[in-house]
Amino acid sequence: MNLRALMGYGVIVVSFLIGVPVAIGQNERILQAQVSIDSLLKKNGNSKDYRIYPERENFIELWDRITSEYYFNCNGDLCYEKRYGLVNTQNRDTLDPVFQSIELFENKIFLCADKWAALADEHLKILTAFEAASLLSTDYIMTRKDDLWGVADKNLNEVLPPKYQAIRLVGNDFNFTEEQKKPHFIIQEDGKWGMVNPNKEVIIPLIYNWIYPVQFPFFGVKKDKYALIAGNGELRTQFKYDTIYTDIFSITTFTAGINNRLGLLSIDGKELTPFVYTRIAKRGDHGCRCAMKDGKWGILASGGKEVTGF
């Protein structure tokens, strides 16, 4: 079994990243990471009682398992965080579980430590090292340079230059055309949010205080007012709502608020109800929702019509 075949497992771990000093060059960073790795390798087998993730067995031909243990990392109140390591098929040459994340990226092993991140081969030889990095998907890695973030593809070709304060990946969605069904990146620059595609073409201009991509359309925030923004950047509503939100069971109907009263919006931005409700609960069977008006509960149909109650 090789690294490429195991990419299908899709196990993702969120990393908390702390970078090394930016003055260090690439060769020095690789050397630093390699020295750290070599110092962690143990030649006498596994000496700790690791907690092993079953889905990580047969990790690759050389390294049999990713292991983890709870690592004490607090001052004052007791708290723990999970750390990760590697055990080989012989239970030897163990990499201690001191890493924030260990993942597969193309045919390489991604390692995220407290003060560096790197890609290594199956023999744990460091190939590329970063100030900090995080995997966005099986195809894209986010890397940091001089405290700003960029994106590279699985061949480490630059997709986005390192000039953004934050980057989030937006996956495929039914609102995109077939030609558009590729990952897009929500980016923050100079405190404003927007969206670009992998060709660096601006889809949503960087003019928003916040963009929240639960599902398309997006929830955009500008001057403390919300609006729906389509996947192509077009506004589907005006910026007049105090809030917009949805739940995991609905991708076509949204709850919005105006002047402390709630109503429903369609995915196209049409107001389905008047804004007269004090509470609207999550969607139930057949798309119906419970809502409260004048202190009484009733049921709203999927299209916003009052069915019963009130």
Side-chain angles (χ1 to χ4, degrees):
M1 185 176 293
N2 57 35
L3 283 168
R4 188 185 299 273
L6 283 161
M7 291 300 290
Y9 282 99
V11 181
I12 299 296
V13 179
V14 176
S15 302
F16 297 93
L17 306 174
I18 304 175
V20 297
V22 298
I24 188 171
Q26 174 65 195
N27 291 337
E28 290 82 3
R29 190 173 291 116
I30 290 176
L31 178 61
Q32 179 193 52
Q34 191 67 65
V35 169
S36 298
I37 288 291
D38 292 344
S39 68
L40 290 171
L41 290 175
K42 305 174 90 174
K43 302 301 181 182
N44 297 320
N46 183 6
S47 62
K48 296 184 178 180
D49 181 19
Y50 294 121
R51 299 169 178 83
I52 297 171
Y53 283 116
E55 67 269 21
R56 296 294 187 102
E57 292 181 358
N58 301 317
F59 179 63
I60 57 176
E61 292 177 358
L62 179 64
W63 299 101
D64 185 43
R65 298 187 299 275
I66 285 184
T67 64
S68 69
E69 66 175 8
Y70 286 102
Y71 177 78
F72 183 73
N73 191 33
C74 288
N75 294 319
D77 293 338
L78 183 67
C79 57
Y80 294 89
E81 64 178 357
K82 192 83 69 133
R83 295 290 175 134
Y84 299 88
L86 289 174
V87 175
N88 71 4
T89 55
Q90 312 285 310
N91 265 346
R92 292 174 12 203
D93 295 335
T94 301
L95 191 61
D96 282 344
V98 296
F99 292 91
Q100 296 169 2
S101 178
I102 298 180
E103 303 294 337
L104 293 175
F105 187 64
E106 186 59 9
N107 59 344
K108 305 174 186 68
I109 300 175
F110 172 72
L111 301 161
C112 179
D114 284 338
K115 295 186 178 181
W116 54 267
L119 292 171
D121 65 14
E122 62 182 24
H123 299 288
L124 291 179
K125 178 182 178 181
I126 301 299
L127 304 174
T128 306
F130 313 99
E131 280 183 28
S134 181
L135 297 188
L136 294 176
S137 71
T138 57
D139 294 312
Y140 295 102
I141 182 171
M142 181 172 67
T143 64
R144 193 177 75 188
K145 181 180 180 181
D146 299 338
D147 291 327
L148 294 175
W149 294 93
V151 175
D153 64 18
K154 57 188 177 183
N155 297 316
L156 297 186
N157 297 316
E158 182 179 281
V159 177
L160 296 180
K163 67 175 188 176
Y164 300 106
Q165 295 167 287
I167 300 174
R168 302 200 304 269
L169 180 70
V170 179
N172 302 339
D173 190 82
F174 62 89
N175 284 321
F176 285 153
T177 66
E178 289 301 319
E179 293 75 20
Q180 292 173 317
K181 282 193 174 180
K182 59 181 68 174
H184 286 53
F185 303 97
I186 290 182
I187 53 177
Q188 184 189 35
E189 185 176 16
D190 296 328
K192 297 296 184 181
W193 291 87
M195 186 173 74
V196 297
N197 64 19
N199 297 323
K200 303 183 180 71
E201 297 169 337
V202 176
I203 307 301
I204 298 177
L206 283 87
I207 59 175
Y208 298 102
N209 300 102
W210 179 244
I211 296 177
Y212 189 60
V214 175
Q215 296 283 348
F216 293 118
F218 300 99
F219 311 156
V221 183
K222 192 175 181 181
K223 295 182 179 178
D224 296 326
K225 293 295 182 180
Y226 286 67
L228 290 181
I229 307 173
N232 61 4
E234 295 180 356
L235 288 177
R236 292 190 174 175
T237 70
Q238 298 177 357
F239 281 92
K240 68 175 187 177
Y241 301 101
D242 300 321
T243 185
I244 298 177
Y245 60 90
T246 187
D247 59 72
I248 62 174
F249 303 105
S250 176
I251 59 175
T252 59
T253 306
F254 303 87
T255 302
I258 299 177
N259 297 328
N260 296 319
R261 290 293 183 266
L262 301 175
L264 295 179
L265 298 176
S266 72
I267 194 171
D268 298 320
K270 179 182 177 181
E271 295 184 355
L272 300 176
T273 69
F275 285 74
V276 295
Y277 303 101
T278 52
R279 293 183 63 185
I280 296 180
K282 292 182 178 180
R283 193 183 74 163
D285 294 339
H286 309 295
C288 295
R289 297 169 184 261
C290 294
M292 177 180 285
K293 182 175 68 173
D294 299 328
K296 296 181 179 179
W297 284 97
I299 296 177
L300 300 177
S302 59
K305 182 179 179 181
E306 293 184 356
V307 177
T308 184
F310 308 112

